[in-house]
Amino acid sequence: MPATAIEIMTIGAYLAVMVAVGLVMRRFNRNVSDYFRNGCQGTWWLVGSSAFMSSFSAWTFTGAAGVAFESGWTVSIIFLGNALGFFLNFLFLAAWFRQLRAITVPEIIRARFGPITQQAYAWFSVPTAVLYASLQLYGLALFTSAVFNLELQAVIIGVGVVVLIYSVIGGSWAVMSADFLQTIILLPLTVLMAFLCLKEVGGIGGFLSMIHERGLADDFAMIQESGRYPLNEYTWVWAAAMFLQIGFSSNSMISASRYFSVKDGREARKAALLGGVLMLLGTLIWFIPPMTARLLYETQVNGVPIDKPAEAAYAIASQRLLPTGMAGLMVVAMFAATMSSMDAGLNRCAAVFTQDIYPPLSRIARRNLFTGKKLLLLGQGFSLMLGVLIILLAVYFSRVQGYGIFKLMLNIGAMLGIPLATPMFLSLFIRKAPGWSALFSVGCGLVPSFMSGVAAQEWSFQDKVFINTGVGVAGFLLTMPFWAMSTQAYRDRVARFFKTMHTPVDFAREVGVDTDLSQLKIIGVFAMVIGGLIGLLALAPNPLSGRLEILSVAGSVALIGLLLAWCGWTSANPKHATHRNRDTPASSTGEITVDSGQP
């Protein structure tokens, strides 16, 4: 469908609002703690929605939708695994992660294992995060260019620049605020899509009946029989491997940064619960449209000029069923899914450079040019540099023919993820492991990854997961007898790590007065503005039903904004009326910090 003036205006207005978020939220940034972790003042609903949005990308509505088009509910196993990961965080791990009182993941790795392991993870995390962000941006642009007739490099540069502006200017405050606003746009729109699809096929009963009438009951089964798909995909064994992989990755120290910004352990658990509930809701509604497209629009989907036409299933369903003017909003939803993972990655990479990579380099050079507030400028400068690099890489990928690099890098990422996450999960529960145990475990896990990469016959996903995990776990456990040879200094380090992790946060003493009311009012106003802008789409030529559908989405967004703003304006608690001196670093207000080794 050609991009109409209404759709272009919708996309432009959305991107302009995201820039405005960065400009407004920069008022909260006075130091590095504010810029990279909201000064530990993030409310549970802000942090939880950001964790939810950053846990998936536009692949949900492209690649995953393509799997749903072909294989029905099987792809939902991935997202159920994500929901389970959030619920496990809710039980206790989210509180533990917040109580580590850190700014970056490598900081807590240093506190647990020492500086060598910290530097290894820090130097690895930045280039890989940049590469993945550029690939996500490229994939988003490639899809929207082919399906919605948007210019490929214009999407890359436009989306990339907007993410760069609000992330650099506003830091973590802008990132999480933008993620929350993107959540309240995405959810009502996708709920409307699921409703329209079910309405088109006669409700849930008609949906199920049509699946049986078309002979797709076996294709759409959640668990497939062995041998039905290459490499036995979507079987019980495949599902178990998927849950294992996601369980390790989402509950290891690598994912701890989700909760560094929240106020205390109790709020961290609430944020995790919100993320789990939202992910479960998304799992139930996101794959109805591509399955409906298989039932009603199979010919149109297969005619889309992209390598895998099935990946256009969600877009084709939205073009067919959404009212006039709403196709641009669906593009916005896809932008939001990728932007939310890009901005979080950009902010975390800048934090790792500022907190973990730069200090050792300055000590080697015996010259520290950035201290105190200058560290904030360093973080902003590095964010800017990384953002430009991400855009340039995405433009480069757009000029390379085919999907070879894209698929290759995703495959490499899958093979590296488990070896890196395994020791970071085990070390949360096993104390008596020497300082080199994590690197040894990673090394062991990389051996089968390398073997699977060079093997003549392709390994199945489940083989990679079970073998990599088993070897990594065995490698970690084999180091435990060497605990007896550890120095007393290292043993004391480990004791401090676990003591800090299990010590509840005293917010009033460690952080100070919160900014809950400011967050409620500012984000509430933005949500009302977005709801009003969406409501303007009701002026487009549509039947009454179409106008009501547009107003339902607009009303949902505006109502959430009104409730937030009302809560902020009507609270009479005087303690919220003032803020602590936010020029003062969090540590000077009494916050306990892990041994990060900073100068």
Side-chain angles (χ1 to χ4, degrees):
M1 185 177 74
T4 65
I6 294 176
E7 291 155 2
I8 294 296
M9 290 174 62
T10 300
I11 297 168
Y14 164 74
L15 296 178
V17 170
M18 293 299 103
V19 172
V21 169
L23 293 172
V24 172
M25 299 309 291
R26 66 177 178 174
R27 57 174 285 198
F28 288 95
N29 294 316
R30 297 294 185 271
N31 53 56
V32 170
S33 178
D34 291 335
Y35 190 74
F36 291 128
R37 60 172 182 177
N38 298 55
C40 297
Q41 295 181 320
T43 49
W44 63 270
W45 48 270
L46 188 67
V47 175
S49 59
S50 181
F52 161 72
M53 282 298 296
S54 61
S55 63
F56 63 95
S57 69
W59 180 84
T60 299
F61 304 102
T62 56
V67 176
F69 178 84
E70 296 173 342
S71 307
W73 294 110
T74 52
V75 72
S76 64
I77 293 171
I78 300 173
F79 296 85
L80 289 173
N82 286 327
L84 179 61
F86 275 115
F87 288 128
L88 290 176
N89 287 173
F90 161 72
L91 292 178
F92 57 93
L93 283 171
W96 287 7
F97 292 151
R98 170 59 185 96
Q99 288 161 193
L100 285 168
R101 299 162 169 89
I103 295 178
T104 68
V105 168
E107 278 187 29
I108 61 177
I109 293 176
R110 179 187 178 106
R112 178 64 179 84
F113 292 107
I116 295 177
T117 306
Q118 174 207 26
Q119 290 300 304
Y121 272 81
W123 282 93
F124 177 82
S125 65
V126 173
T128 52
V130 169
L131 183 60
Y132 292 148
S134 63
L135 288 171
Q136 287 176 336
L137 181 57
Y138 165 58
L140 168 70
L142 192 66
F143 180 82
T144 54
S145 172
V147 178
F148 293 100
N149 199 30
L150 298 175
E151 206 282 320
L152 177 63
Q153 294 187 3
V155 174
I156 291 175
I157 296 172
V159 173
V161 167
V162 169
V163 172
L164 182 59
I165 290 174
Y166 75 73
S167 297
V168 171
I169 292 176
S172 182
W173 281 110
V175 167
M176 291 197 173
S177 300
D179 288 351
F180 176 82
L181 294 171
Q182 289 168 156
T183 298
I184 63 174
I185 296 172
L186 179 75
L187 285 179
L189 181 60
T190 52
V191 167
L192 174 63
M193 267 300 302
F195 170 78
L196 293 177
C197 288
L198 291 176
K199 178 183 175 183
E200 192 72 9
V201 295
I204 295 177
F207 179 67
L208 297 176
S209 297
M210 191 173 291
I211 290 174
H212 284 277
E213 290 169 3
R214 292 284 305 275
L216 295 174
D218 291 336
D219 284 354
F220 282 4
M222 180 175 290
I223 301 297
Q224 300 288 339
E225 295 179 358
S226 178
R228 185 177 179 86
Y229 286 91
L231 302 176
N232 285 326
E233 295 173 318
Y234 314 131
T235 62
W236 280 111
V237 179
W238 181 89
M242 182 61 68
F243 274 84
L244 179 63
Q245 181 198 34
I246 296 174
F248 264 60
S249 62
S250 62
N251 289 279
S252 74
M253 283 193 280
I254 293 176
S255 299
S257 56
R258 288 176 173 178
Y259 306 105
F260 289 168
S261 302
V262 81
K263 292 161 63 176
D264 54 31
R266 179 173 173 271
E267 294 255 315
R269 294 183 67 235
K270 291 165 67 175
L273 181 60
L274 176 62
V277 170
L278 293 178
M279 184 61 70
L280 186 59
L281 174 62
T283 303
L284 296 176
I285 62 175
W286 288 338
F287 305 113
I288 293 174
M291 293 169 69
T292 302
R294 176 75 178 275
L295 299 174
L296 301 178
Y297 314 120
E298 185 173 7
T299 302
Q300 293 90 326
V301 171
N302 289 328
V304 176
I306 58 178
D307 274 10
K308 288 196 67 176
E311 295 184 353
Y314 202 109
I316 293 299
S318 67
Q319 290 175 352
R320 291 282 175 171
L321 298 177
L322 286 176
T324 301
M326 289 284 277
L329 203 58
M330 181 53 66
V331 177
V332 163
M334 293 186 178
F335 281 4
T338 293
M339 290 169 69
S340 58
S341 55
M342 278 182 59
D343 57 22
L346 188 62
N347 186 260
R348 289 169 186 169
C349 283
V352 168
F353 177 81
T354 303
Q355 299 297 111
D356 302 290
I357 295 177
Y358 171 73
L361 293 178
S362 68
R363 288 196 292 271
I364 293 173
R366 296 185 178 181
R367 189 175 183 183
N368 190 1
L369 300 177
F370 297 92
T371 58
K373 285 188 177 181
K374 290 184 179 180
L375 277 175
L376 177 58
L377 297 177
L378 178 65
Q380 291 176 318
F382 193 71
S383 292
L384 179 62
M385 184 184 75
L386 288 181
V388 171
L389 182 59
I390 288 170
I391 295 171
L392 292 178
L393 279 174
V395 170
Y396 167 75
F397 290 138
S398 72
R399 298 187 178 187
V400 177
Q401 295 296 321
Y403 283 75
I405 294 178
F406 186 67
K407 290 184 177 180
L408 174 64
M409 293 312 304
L410 289 183
N411 192 40
I412 291 175
M415 290 190 294
L416 291 177
I418 290 177
L420 290 168
T422 296
M424 294 299 112
F425 174 79
L426 296 175
S427 58
L428 292 170
F429 306 95
I430 300 174
R431 300 190 183 208
K432 295 183 178 182
W436 49 272
S437 58
L439 293 181
F440 183 78
S441 173
V442 171
C444 292
L446 290 177
V447 171
S449 289
F450 174 78
M451 292 173 60
S452 67
V454 300
Q457 185 175 355
E458 184 179 1
W459 289 21
S460 69
F461 169 78
Q462 50 269 34
D463 286 343
K464 293 177 184 178
V465 171
F466 290 133
I467 294 174
N468 286 358
T469 303
V471 172
V473 169
F476 190 86
L477 296 179
L478 285 173
T479 67
M480 292 178 62
F482 294 92
W483 166 261
M485 302 171 60
S486 300
T487 64
Q488 188 59 46
Y490 174 72
R491 295 187 183 202
D492 292 341
R493 174 193 296 274
V494 173
R496 287 195 302 271
F497 172 86
F498 280 97
K499 180 179 179 182
T500 301
M501 186 171 71
H502 295 302
T503 301
V505 173
D506 185 339
F507 180 81
R509 180 176 67 84
E510 298 181 31
V511 181
V513 179
D514 60 46
T515 59
D516 291 14
L517 299 190
S518 295
Q519 295 174 55
L520 287 167
K521 289 185 285 187
I522 292 173
I523 297 174
V525 169
F526 269 115
M528 287 191 289
V529 169
I530 292 173
L533 292 175
I534 295 174
L536 293 177
L537 294 175
L539 300 176
N542 276 303
L544 178 60
S545 60
R547 297 177 192 271
L548 292 176
E549 290 160 4
I550 293 172
L551 291 176
S552 67
V553 175
S556 299
V557 176
L559 179 60
I560 292 173
L562 180 62
L563 290 174
L564 292 176
W566 180 81
C567 291
W569 286 325
T570 59
S571 178
N573 191 339
K575 79 172 185 177
H576 295 287
T578 59
H579 297 225
R580 68 175 171 88
N581 180 0
R582 305 183 76 253
D583 291 322
T584 304
S587 58
S588 67
T589 64
E591 178 166 345
I592 302 170
T593 57
V594 297
D595 178 16
S596 59
Q598 304 305 324

